[in-house]
Amino acid sequence: MRVAPSFLRFGNFEMLNARKEVDNLRQLVDWTISRYYPHITGENKVIDWFKEVVDRTAKLMVEWMRVGFVHGVMNTDNMSILGLTIDYGPYSFVDNYDPNFTPNTTDLPGRRYAFGKQPSIGYWNLGALAGALLPLADKDKLVATLDSFKDVYWAEYYA
């Protein structure tokens, strides 16, 4: 059994944007913020919320790297909007340090989701989420917020 407070993923927001369902996208973002991020309010709430998702995702990537966890399939449909580990599989842990290790046999040709690539894939996925949020927020603010990932990641990594 898999349990989590929510299985809402980056891909849920991408799908609505791809379908040009801006009203539904706005409703989902508003609902997500009110349900899971109730401390975020005000005029700038989409950017403030995205910043928290960026921070949580960066910290999650550090924890995965710290313990040698390899998710296996880090597409946007497997990235939690809450910064949690959900929908992993095939997953594994590295026995010996190997940045190219992947437990996913379908990932073997390019090793996109290999252990050592997880932080950059997390960042890429956040970029996809930022793209989905473009109808609701300023592009420059989304990009600046996305760029904060690296600082958060490295600060947590070295801590």
Side-chain angles (χ1 to χ4, degrees):
M1 174 175 27
R2 295 180 182 177
V3 294
S6 172
F7 282 90
L8 197 55
R9 314 131 198 269
F10 293 10
N12 295 109
F13 300 88
E14 284 182 290
M15 182 177 59
L16 294 174
N17 182 43
R19 292 179 178 173
K20 303 202 182 322
E21 295 180 21
V22 177
D23 289 337
N24 288 335
L25 176 63
R26 182 174 291 107
Q27 287 178 30
L28 181 59
V29 168
D30 288 344
W31 181 85
T32 302
I33 293 170
S34 67
R35 176 79 168 99
Y36 298 107
Y37 298 85
H39 57 283
I40 297 175
T41 58
E43 199 172 294
N44 208 28
K45 71 180 181 179
V46 174
I47 296 296
D48 294 342
W49 167 67
F50 182 59
K51 172 65 174 143
E52 193 159 331
V53 174
V54 168
D55 290 354
R56 289 181 183 198
T57 302
K59 292 172 183 176
L60 178 66
M61 296 299 101
V62 169
E63 290 302 311
W64 286 0
M65 300 304 288
R66 182 179 68 80
V67 299
F69 176 77
V70 190
H71 187 283
V73 186
M74 283 182 65
N75 57 42
T76 56
D77 283 337
N78 289 330
M79 295 294 294
S80 166
I81 204 69
L82 302 179
L84 304 173
T85 304
I86 61 169
D87 285 349
Y88 46 90
Y91 73 95
S92 189
F93 289 86
V94 292
D95 292 324
N96 299 306
Y97 181 76
D98 179 2
N100 289 316
F101 174 73
T102 181
N104 181 352
T105 56
T106 64
D107 192 32
L108 287 175
R111 297 179 187 266
R112 175 173 169 78
Y113 304 126
F115 173 66
K117 293 181 180 175
Q118 292 180 129
S120 62
I121 295 298
Y123 175 79
W124 189 94
N125 287 340
L126 286 162
L129 177 61
L133 299 175
L134 279 171
L136 308 180
D138 179 73
K139 178 182 178 181
D140 292 335
K141 290 180 182 178
L142 284 166
V143 169
T145 303
L146 174 62
D147 286 345
S148 72
F149 174 90
K150 294 169 190 159
D151 291 335
V152 174
Y153 178 84
W154 288 113
E156 290 293 319
Y157 180 89
Y158 288 117

